[in-house]
């Protein structure tokens, strides 16, 4: 059987997929608060990754592309499987699904992209080339087009490469005066990194106001910024012309999917710069029918989830972990919730690296290389590390907690 076939055969899914443990977890929560049963562990060993010789990891860290994003809820996996059985016109599918998404989120227009990074690139292309067929063909050669995008210096980040892919130059500003001075007839777009709100001197609101006054489209990269769920509509309502969210993060859509939300003319332009159209800058960022359908169903699901109950369950998982760890001598624990991105409960642990002879790097390595392999967040607090139940499966909090305790107890015994 070809490799791609594994996830799209429902029977296979239910008998041998790695997602089985996820499904039982999500559906019944029967594992709640208990270590994983032998049965579930056996299923984990027998999954596709075991057959490929690839280790699976317990994700106590959150949504990260290198760690393969999030896990598909069963209804999303099933929708993708169903979508894989029929031919459709991608263009028609994009338009129909885009309209439905726009209605769900009460925004003007929407489309499904290959990810938030893909949405940044397409949004920029839409602002630069618009719907002009000659310009669309010519990108990233900007002859005859606007060639600058304004960004706050503190908002520079790895994903602004997606802006630069269009060929434009990033113009850095710090103050509002800088911003006023930087806007000119070459300015194609004003990019904002939502997560950097507190680092920049120009607020979301002012960014939008200046954009409107100067007639320059504004873009907000809010890729990882749900929950809370209302943020999905918030920034378009605030006046941003384009907003993106990753589909493979909190929404639990396909890992290779994203939302581009915004002004109708710009979304139409983005689609013209996108696959399936050839000779466009977006053609290499293909989104298939499975991703388009998958993200739509994931979004529908996400809007129905009881987020309060979900939050309480996260708190319960954290409590279990905190109880197990806090009694280890020399260890301090505490909780925090990041303000914007990954706005979910976290538990941090701190210990005296010198006294206990355990550096943060060693701790992370021990967790990663142990059995089972656990990924955590090393850099949120100085001299410590954090874990979050955000992407944990029910029952895994017990495994993570006992492993953390084991490592900490081991070193405190030696020292
Ligand atoms: C994750 C992330 C992206 C990229 O999202 P993908 O869906 O993986 O392409 C872009 N910007 C920010 C701020 C992110 O956190």
């Amino acid at each position: 059987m070809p490799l791609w076939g594994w996830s799209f055969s429902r029977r296979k899914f239910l008998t041998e997929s790695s997602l089985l443990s996820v499904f039982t977890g999500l559906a019944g929560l029967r594992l709640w608060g208990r270590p994983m049963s032998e049965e579930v562990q056996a299923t984990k060993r027998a999954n596709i990754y075991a057959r490929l010789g690839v280790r699976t990891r317990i994700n106590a860290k959150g949504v990260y592309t290198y760690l393969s994003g999030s896990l598909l809820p069963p209804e999303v996996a099933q929708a993708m499987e169903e979508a894989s059985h029929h031919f459709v016109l991608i263009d028609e599918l994009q338009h129909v699904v885009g309209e439905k998404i726009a209605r769900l989120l009460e925004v003007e227009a929407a489309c499904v992209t290959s990810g938030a990074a893909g949405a940044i690139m397409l949004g920029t292309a839409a602002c630069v080339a618009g719907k002009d067929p000659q310009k669309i063909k010519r990108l990233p050669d900007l002859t005859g087009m606007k060639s600058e995008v304004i960004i706050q210096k503190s908002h520079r980040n790895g994903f602004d490469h997606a802006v630069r892919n269009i060929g434009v130059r990033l113009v850095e500003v710090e103050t509002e005066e800088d911003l006023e001075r930087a806007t000119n007839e070459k300015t194609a777009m004003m990019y904002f990194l939502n997560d950097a709100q507190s680092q920049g001197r120009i607020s979301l609101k002012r960014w939008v106001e200046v954009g409107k006054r100067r007639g320059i489209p504004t873009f907000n990269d809010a890729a990882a910024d749900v929950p809370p769920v209302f943020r999905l509509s918030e920034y378009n309502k605030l006046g941003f012309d384009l907003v993106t969210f990753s589909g493979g993060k909190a929404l639990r859509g396909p890992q290779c999917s994203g939302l581009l939300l915004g002004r109708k003319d710009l979304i139409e332009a983005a689609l013209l710069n996108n696959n399936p159209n050839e000779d466009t800058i977006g053609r290499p960022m293909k989104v298939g029918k499975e991703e388009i359908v998958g993200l739509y169903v994931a979004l529908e699901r996400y809007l129905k989830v009881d987020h309060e109950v979900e939050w309480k369950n996260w708190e319960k998982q954290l409590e279990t972990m905190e109880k197990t760890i806090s009694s280890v001598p020399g260890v301090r624990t505490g909780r925090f919730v990041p303000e914007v991105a990954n706005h979910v409960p976290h538990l941090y642990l701190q210990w005296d690296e010198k006294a206990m002879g355990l550096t943060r790097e060693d701790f992370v390595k021990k967790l990663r290389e142990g059995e089972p392999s656990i990924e955590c967040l090393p850099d949120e607090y100085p001299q410590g590390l954090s874990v979050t139940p955000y992407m944990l499966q029910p029952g895994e909090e017990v495994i993570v907690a006992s492993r953390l305790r084991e490592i900490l107890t081991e070193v405190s015994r030696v020292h």
Side-chain angles (χ1 to χ4, degrees), residues 65 114-118 120 157 159 191 193 221 223-224 246-249 255 257-258:
T65 295
S114 61
I120 296 168
N157 72 95
F159 294 106
Y191 169 96
L193 176 63
D221 174 2
S246 184
K249 292 182 177 171
Q255 191 183 4
S257 70

